[in-house]
Amino acid sequence: MKKLILAVAACAFLGTASIAAAAPVATTVKATIKYFNFVVNGQTKLTADALAFNGMTYVPIREAASLFNYDTTYDSATRSISFSSKQDWITLAELIAATPRLNATQSEETPDVYVVRTGGEIAFSLNVSNLKDGETSSVVTNQSHQIRVKKELGAVVLNKKDALAAGYLVQ
């Protein structure tokens, strides 16, 4: 009986030792969690904890995407992260991409002045040079539709509902 117990104990010890030898070696890193204010054009947009490691700052991707006016979704089946514009606003570039008949030109003399054309006609003009980040203004299209416009992180964004009501395609 003693030999049987000794044999079982020896097998258990050998089995445990082989599992421990097969385990990968873990790497330990020293990182710090720091509190940051994220300021865009002089305006605090996000206050969050971030991980600081080796002189780099790591921010959660959802918060970073939110800073740039994007929503994020994760698809576990494909292990992919998708970014999409927030529902209420669309950038001028996205409006032009979604509505092939439109094109926009930026004024060479005055920054943040755009002329949006459909075919050869002016659909509407945007002058957002006096808008501060986050401020909203309105433009009137040549079809007498009003579209709310604002600056968001330096980009020109238009209200999606207003753009749809004016007859433009939005994604």
Side-chain angles (χ1 to χ4, degrees):
M1 184 70 172
K2 287 183 180 180
K3 288 184 180 180
L4 179 62
I5 292 174
L6 189 58
V8 169
C11 288
F13 176 73
L14 288 173
T16 305
S18 65
I19 291 172
V25 178
T27 303
T28 302
V29 295
K30 185 176 180 180
T32 307
I33 295 178
K34 293 185 177 183
Y35 185 78
F36 285 95
N37 290 321
F38 294 89
V39 180
V40 179
N41 295 328
Q43 194 173 36
T44 300
K45 292 291 188 175
L46 175 69
T47 303
D49 291 332
L51 185 70
F53 173 69
N54 278 351
M56 301 286 283
T57 304
Y58 297 88
V59 179
I61 200 158
R62 287 188 195 279
E63 279 88 6
S66 180
L67 278 173
F68 296 103
N69 208 26
Y70 283 89
D71 287 324
T72 57
T73 54
Y74 176 70
D75 184 350
S76 60
T78 60
R79 298 187 63 192
S80 61
I81 299 170
S82 299
F83 299 93
S84 59
S85 289
K86 289 190 176 180
Q87 300 300 323
D88 296 338
W89 298 90
I90 184 171
T91 66
L92 180 58
E94 290 170 329
L95 178 67
I96 300 301
T99 311
R101 69 180 193 271
L102 290 180
N103 66 33
T105 54
Q106 187 174 10
S107 171
E108 292 180 16
E109 301 86 38
T110 310
D112 292 332
V113 174
Y114 303 87
V115 176
V116 180
R117 289 185 168 80
T118 178
E121 294 183 27
I122 295 176
F124 58 93
S125 297
L126 297 172
N127 183 349
V128 293
S129 58
N130 294 327
L131 282 182
K132 293 181 182 170
D133 207 46
E135 289 183 340
T136 304
S137 181
S138 296
V139 297
V140 178
T141 70
N142 63 357
Q143 302 160 346
S144 299
H145 288 91
Q146 189 172 16
I147 301 176
R148 287 172 284 167
V149 179
K150 71 176 179 177
K151 269 189 176 175
E152 189 75 31
L153 296 172
V156 178
V157 291
L158 298 94
N159 184 277
K160 280 187 176 183
K161 289 179 184 175
D162 295 347
L164 279 171
Y168 302 112
L169 302 174
V170 294
Q171 296 174 346

